[in-house]
Amino acid sequence: PNHPPAIQPKPTAKTSSNLEASKQMSGSVSWLEWTQQLQAYIAWVNSQLRKRPDLKPVQDLRSDLQSGEVLAQLIEIISGEKIAGIIYQPESLQGMRENLDRILQFMASKKIRMHQITSKEILEGNLKA
């Protein structure tokens, strides 16, 4: 199946720490359960990435998705289509942001619902996204 496991964190106010934000997002879910959900999501992402032997597995969603490269590869595997204009090994935050904007535009054009995720949130490693 090409569907990620459901992670349903509660929206929270912005905090300075990803750890704090992640704990707050878990709401009634314990920290252990949140960590297990995150590990399940990473396992699902890696199960998709393994479909292309040249790709490395992700370890940390916060940092591994920031440049847009891995996210683009994941969406390309799932959709079976190439996303135009992705910069591999972007040398600047602007290049990373452009990658993420292209991916989000591609997903919107395919009617893939994204719950108000922005390139800024992904670039900042915001796990609520």
Side-chain angles (χ1 to χ4, degrees), residues 27-125:
S28 61
V29 175
S30 74
W31 179 242
L32 176 62
E33 289 170 312
W34 169 248
T35 304
Q36 289 171 337
Q37 286 180 340
L38 194 55
Q39 290 305 313
Y41 196 79
I42 290 169
W44 177 83
V45 168
N46 286 331
S47 75
Q48 299 303 310
L49 294 177
R50 275 194 292 278
K51 294 175 182 179
R52 289 200 17 212
D54 56 314
L55 301 181
K56 295 186 307 194
V58 298
Q59 306 288 323
D60 179 349
L61 290 178
R62 283 178 292 239
S63 59
D64 292 343
L65 300 182
Q66 285 178 316
S67 73
E69 295 171 82
V70 173
L71 186 56
Q73 292 160 339
L74 176 64
I75 299 302
E76 289 173 354
I77 289 167
I78 294 167
S79 70
E81 295 182 44
K82 189 97 172 115
I83 301 173
I86 297 299
I87 303 163
Y88 289 90
Q89 298 177 334
E91 295 180 6
S92 67
L93 286 176
Q94 182 61 31
M96 292 178 185
R97 185 180 306 268
E98 287 171 10
N99 278 351
L100 295 167
D101 285 338
R102 283 187 182 97
I103 294 162
L104 294 174
Q105 286 167 4
F106 174 85
M107 293 173 75
S109 76
K110 300 298 174 193
K111 306 287 190 257
I112 299 171
R113 289 187 338 174
M114 298 297 293
H115 301 283
Q116 300 175 356
I117 294 174
T118 65
S119 57
K120 181 177 185 283
E121 289 172 322
I122 299 169
L123 198 57
E124 291 173 354

